[in-house]
Amino acid sequence: MICPSFRFINFPDQPIVWREISVITAALRSDSQDKHAQFLRGLFETLPGRVQCEMLLKATEQCFNTLEKAEMLLLLLKRFPESVVQHGVNLGETLLEAEVSENVETPVNCFRKLFVCDVLPLVINNMDMRLPASLLQKYMLKAAEFYIGYVTRGPSPDVQIQASQDGGSLKSPSMSRGSQRYVIDGLSEKSSMVAEPWERLLDILAVIGARCEWQGDKGQRSYVDMLQRVKELCRYLPGLEGDTRARCCSQVVICAALVLFRSAFLYVSAVQPSLFQGVNALSLGPWILVEDLCSVYSDAELERGALKHGHKKRKLADGREKTMSSDDEEGLGKGRGRHILVNKTEMPSWSETLESFRVARDSWDLLHSHDGLETEFKKICASWKTDSWLWFRIFLTDMIIYQGQYHKALSSLHQMAAVHQSQLGQQSPSGPASLEHHRALIQQASCHYALGEYRMACEKLLDVVGGLVPPVQEPTKMPEDQGRVKTRTRKGNDLRLLPCTSKAVLPFCLQLMLACFKLRAFTDNRDDLSLGHVVVLLQYDWPQGEMLFLKAVDKICQQGSFQYENFFNYVTNIDMLEEFAYLRTPEGGRIQLELLPNQGMLIKNPSPALGVELNTLLLQGVQTMDRHHTVTRGITKGVKEDFRLAMERQVSRCGENLLSVLHRFCINEKIIIIQSLP
């Protein structure tokens, strides 16, 4: 057998020689570990270095496919670093030009991957090359766009289709992202994988920063450290001029932008993981940033109502003293700005998530602290088409809500709702898909509430409630969910990360509706309908709303009468029933209560045995509630028979699933609820 190097040197243009060389170079580019490929790679290693170099150069010239040509030349650059000076930049530019000419739609493509992961490190680490800062910064942004696109890529379409057929969310594949096969078109599965992309990006930034003579440490320790350094650098920016100012501006913009996108990704991957992961992560999200409603049950004038009905206050409070739980707030109220409350048990990574949100906001503020920085940052965003990044829009929307710019947030949320609807396609939203679809609606309702637009808020809430199914049984409340006695009055500026699950969303909708009706119900003007809605909604999370209920009772006493014909349809709370029964007695003030829509139709031909069974009925109610109640306290003394019988019958409903009752209230009374608000 003739030595390959002899044949190549003496017969370089013979077709048979090129066939052999093409087989050898194909094995060099291949990931295959079969014996034949290993033999060919070993054979190549036996050749003299000069022959190897010339062979790879000649093989490159024979390639007509851009990708194959680039891979062949890359073999040369890796084996012979001295060739990087001659061929490195040209190869990089060829790959970037091919990306344009091939009209690829995403920066995560085979050309960019070869450039960023293979060619660029060889070029920037070769100290024999003198590259202008503008070119290095161009390459830095190309690398950043690739790595960010790679990290934030969504589930593959084929997996999404399979998930929808299995009943999952359209954006929630049936397997975790880590187990999905991800292949960049034109590359093998192995070549498509990128390990530790954020760390690689930081390494590239450190090298390019040093070559561009950026200020600060030569080595970038972390993204947070980098942000702190450019913050300090910004203090000197107004006094700089010319090239020094331009260099400083570029350093701040690039570094702060990378911190922004990384932190925003970490935040959104926690609150909306299905954008990046599979259905296994759906149990951890999505989460919704909304107005905190912890103060919905408080009122500055509660004491006035509590004094008159002190007998109830003492009775209801007996044995049920609540202590404030700091689980949601510990360590979160120390920073500047608004507090964001979250249930630690439901979100174990709450600290990291909120820190990522804070760092991303700080980066955004820094990039908009000077006109020059903002202009350069907008150029990057336009080049990368960040307007089409749904995940980044989610962060921006949450940031806008945090800033209190609710009109601007509503505009963004309407666009997001349209995107979600288009992604749902022809399928009717159900299960996890409906929760993701309702995410924007819930935030819209929260924003309308913050703006005082209560009717719009309730319209959005009732749309959401209509798509929810109440739990069969009321969920067991965690300590964080229990009623809390506030040691201080909040200004109403806090926010909360709410899990987007039926168990959490339905109670939030009920509480937000209560907040919308509360102010209207307790104005000087009489509004029995709003007051009745408040009474119905106060049943949830009882006895946390006990003091507000007593204020409602006080208002009814001041009026001397109260009309709410839906009372017996939706009020099943034994404490409330007892208090309304007491109001009809001489001791309670003989308040005129019109709570029956049609007294003759509601109770027709009552059974004589019903009165006899009253004591048994009450005893069952007492056993169910595990408390002592006397709903008929004095009620038989001169009150109307139909009211008494209706109250007796209502006691038997005290064991009903309260969330189901309140869900029916929202569905059946949707029109009247909306019309009750201006």
Side-chain angles (χ1 to χ4, degrees):
M1 179 178 178
I2 302 176
C3 176
S5 61
F6 175 83
R7 298 174 68 173
F8 174 72
I9 293 172
N10 293 282
F11 309 101
D13 299 321
Q14 293 297 317
I16 189 172
V17 174
W18 279 111
R19 281 198 295 271
E20 291 180 358
I21 291 175
S22 64
V23 171
I24 294 174
T25 54
L28 293 175
R29 299 194 339 261
S30 171
D31 297 328
S32 174
Q33 297 299 319
D34 64 58
K35 291 183 178 181
H36 184 61
Q38 291 180 3
F39 167 76
L40 293 174
R41 287 194 285 267
L43 180 62
F44 183 79
E45 296 295 341
T46 64
L47 301 178
R50 182 180 62 83
V51 175
Q52 289 183 0
C53 183
E54 291 182 7
M55 185 180 292
L56 290 175
L57 277 174
K58 287 286 186 180
T60 301
E61 295 173 0
Q62 296 294 318
C63 293
F64 298 100
N65 178 285
T66 303
L67 189 60
E68 289 183 7
K69 189 171 185 176
E71 290 178 336
M72 193 70 68
L73 195 53
L74 187 58
L75 285 174
L76 174 69
L77 300 185
K78 288 182 177 180
R79 288 177 172 273
F80 304 98
E82 64 276 9
S83 63
V84 172
V85 176
Q86 181 180 355
H87 302 288
V89 173
N90 289 337
L91 175 56
E93 292 297 328
T94 298
L95 289 169
L96 294 178
E97 290 170 5
E99 185 180 65
V100 175
S101 62
E102 295 289 336
N103 293 319
V104 291
E105 299 178 354
T106 170
V108 186
N109 59 74
C110 57
F111 305 111
R112 185 79 68 93
K113 197 271 180 182
L114 284 180
F115 169 72
V116 171
C117 298
D118 299 300
V119 178
L120 185 58
L122 295 175
V123 171
I124 62 176
N125 284 293
N126 191 310
M127 295 298 108
D128 294 330
M129 303 185 69
R130 297 291 181 263
L131 301 175
S134 58
L135 184 64
L136 289 170
Q137 290 171 13
K138 168 191 168 182
Y139 288 169
M140 178 71 246
L141 293 177
K142 290 292 185 182
E145 185 185 18
F146 169 80
Y147 281 124
I148 293 171
Y150 180 85
V151 171
T152 61
R153 69 193 188 279
S156 57
D158 56 329
V159 179
Q160 290 185 40
I161 294 172
Q162 180 62 39
S164 64
Q165 292 173 348
D166 294 340
S169 166
L170 290 179
K171 295 168 69 178
S172 304
S174 58
M175 61 188 74
S176 67
R177 179 179 172 183
S179 62
Q180 290 181 34
R181 295 179 67 252
Y182 183 76
V183 180
I184 297 175
D185 189 25
L187 299 179
S188 66
E189 183 177 353
K190 182 178 179 180
S191 298
S192 299
M193 295 179 61
V194 178
E196 299 181 336
W198 290 117
E199 288 71 14
R200 286 192 176 196
L201 182 58
L202 195 62
D203 291 340
I204 291 175
L205 184 67
V207 176
I208 288 182
R211 300 201 64 165
C212 291
E213 299 181 347
W214 284 355
Q215 297 296 316
D217 295 343
K218 298 300 181 183
Q220 309 291 357
R221 292 189 297 269
S222 72
Y223 284 92
V224 176
D225 291 340
M226 183 166 62
L227 178 63
Q228 189 59 40
R229 281 197 292 276
V230 294
K231 274 185 178 181
E232 296 170 359
L233 194 59
C234 261
R235 295 186 307 178
Y236 305 101
L237 191 60
L240 301 178
E241 296 179 353
D243 292 342
T244 305
R245 179 183 175 86
R247 184 166 59 248
C248 179
C249 185
S250 296
Q251 178 180 354
V252 172
V253 171
I254 292 176
C255 292
L258 297 188
V259 177
L260 166 64
F261 291 123
R262 177 179 178 270
S263 300
F265 161 73
L266 293 176
Y267 170 73
V268 177
S269 64
V271 301
Q272 190 83 338
S274 60
L275 289 178
F276 314 107
Q277 300 177 2
V279 74
N280 291 342
L282 196 60
S283 60
L284 304 177
W287 294 73
I288 323 167
L289 189 66
V290 293
E291 297 295 302
D292 177 58
L293 302 177
C294 283
S295 61
V296 69
Y297 299 111
S298 67
D299 192 284
E301 299 179 354
L302 284 180
E303 290 301 319
R304 183 169 60 89
L307 289 175
K308 185 168 184 177
H309 292 271
H311 69 287
K312 285 297 297 180
K313 179 180 178 183
R314 288 190 298 272
K315 182 174 181 180
L316 293 178
D318 182 33
R320 275 183 272 121
E321 286 295 326
K322 303 296 179 185
T323 58
M324 183 173 180
S325 169
S326 61
D327 282 356
D328 289 352
E329 301 168 285
E330 181 183 348
L332 302 183
K334 298 178 181 178
R336 63 179 179 83
R338 308 175 74 178
H339 302 161
I340 300 178
L341 309 183
V342 63
N343 187 310
K344 286 184 179 180
T345 305
E346 294 176 337
M347 180 184 275
S349 61
W350 66 274
S351 179
E352 295 85 350
T353 300
L354 296 185
E355 177 64 11
S356 296
F357 188 45
R358 183 195 66 79
V359 172
R361 296 195 314 269
D362 286 352
S363 304
W364 177 272
D365 292 342
L366 182 64
L367 288 164
H368 292 78
S369 60
H370 296 276
D371 290 341
L373 300 179
E374 184 174 356
T375 299
E376 292 303 313
F377 176 63
K378 286 182 176 179
K379 289 179 181 178
I380 294 176
C381 292
S383 174
W384 292 357
K385 300 178 181 178
T386 58
D387 286 345
S388 64
W389 295 359
L390 177 60
W391 67 271
F392 190 58
R393 180 175 296 179
I394 289 173
F395 158 73
L396 290 178
T397 303
D398 284 4
M399 182 184 68
I400 294 168
I401 290 174
Y402 179 87
Q403 295 170 342
Q405 302 181 49
Y406 294 107
H407 286 295
K408 189 176 178 181
L410 284 169
S411 176
S412 180
L413 284 165
H414 283 303
Q415 297 176 21
M416 287 173 56
V419 170
H420 284 162
Q421 185 61 47
S422 66
Q423 290 177 342
L424 288 173
Q426 300 300 318
Q427 295 191 12
S428 59
S430 62
S434 68
L435 290 175
E436 293 194 8
H437 171 64
H438 288 148
R439 185 182 188 275
L441 290 178
I442 295 168
Q443 279 195 318
Q444 287 177 39
S446 181
C447 290
H448 283 302
Y449 165 73
L451 291 169
E453 300 169 353
Y454 300 138
R455 184 168 185 165
M456 288 294 294
C458 280
E459 285 184 7
K460 302 296 182 184
L461 291 172
L462 292 171
D463 285 344
V464 172
V465 173
L468 299 177
V469 177
V472 177
Q473 294 182 341
E474 293 183 56
T476 302
K477 294 172 184 175
M478 299 294 289
E480 293 89 347
D481 299 324
Q482 294 290 340
R484 300 186 296 204
V485 177
K486 292 294 175 185
T487 58
R488 62 185 174 88
T489 302
R490 284 214 180 102
K491 297 180 181 179
N493 291 330
D494 291 350
L495 298 169
R496 176 173 291 276
L497 273 174
L498 181 78
C500 191
T501 60
S502 294
K503 185 177 74 171
V505 166
L506 181 54
F508 174 81
C509 291
L510 297 173
Q511 289 181 327
L512 190 54
M513 288 172 59
L514 171 62
C516 290
F517 277 104
K518 185 176 72 170
L519 294 178
R520 185 170 179 82
F522 293 109
T523 57
D524 292 335
N525 298 326
R526 178 167 177 167
D527 190 340
D528 283 7
L529 190 57
S530 294
L531 194 60
H533 294 337
V534 166
V535 171
V536 171
L537 293 168
L538 280 173
Q539 294 178 101
Y540 175 73
D541 216 13
W542 185 265
Q544 191 165 340
E546 172 185 318
M547 299 302 292
L548 199 58
F549 169 70
L550 293 176
K551 183 175 176 64
V553 171
D554 181 60
K555 183 175 176 65
I556 292 172
C557 290
Q558 291 178 12
Q559 295 176 176
S561 64
F562 176 64
Q563 179 181 4
Y564 188 68
E565 297 181 349
N566 269 323
F567 182 89
F568 288 112
N569 288 335
Y570 305 112
V571 178
T572 62
N573 181 284
I574 192 72
D575 291 327
M576 292 182 175
L577 295 176
E578 179 180 355
E579 189 67 17
F580 274 92
Y582 178 72
L583 292 178
R584 291 292 299 264
T585 66
E587 295 86 349
R590 295 186 184 276
I591 305 300
Q592 181 181 351
L593 301 176
E594 299 180 29
L595 308 180
L596 299 171
N598 190 324
Q599 297 177 10
M601 294 297 294
L602 185 64
I603 302 179
K604 222 176 189 183
N605 302 322
S607 169
L610 188 58
V612 178
E613 296 171 355
L614 177 59
N615 289 335
T616 304
L617 189 62
L618 289 176
L619 180 60
Q620 293 172 346
V622 169
Q623 292 171 340
T624 302
M625 304 302 293
D626 195 26
R627 303 215 300 269
H628 297 290
H629 293 276
T630 316
V631 176
T632 56
R633 176 182 53 190
I635 198 172
T636 56
K637 300 177 182 178
V639 299
K640 292 183 179 180
E641 182 72 6
D642 53 1
F643 181 86
R644 183 181 70 85
L645 293 175
M647 192 65 76
E648 293 172 9
R649 181 169 295 177
Q650 201 69 2
V651 173
S652 66
R653 296 184 56 198
C654 290
E656 287 188 22
N657 183 341
L658 179 59
L659 286 179
S660 294
V661 173
L662 296 178
H663 183 263
R664 287 200 304 273
F665 167 70
C666 295
I667 300 299
N668 297 341
E669 311 304 328
K670 177 178 179 178
I671 295 177
I672 196 170
I673 289 173
I674 294 175
Q675 292 178 345
S676 303
L677 293 166

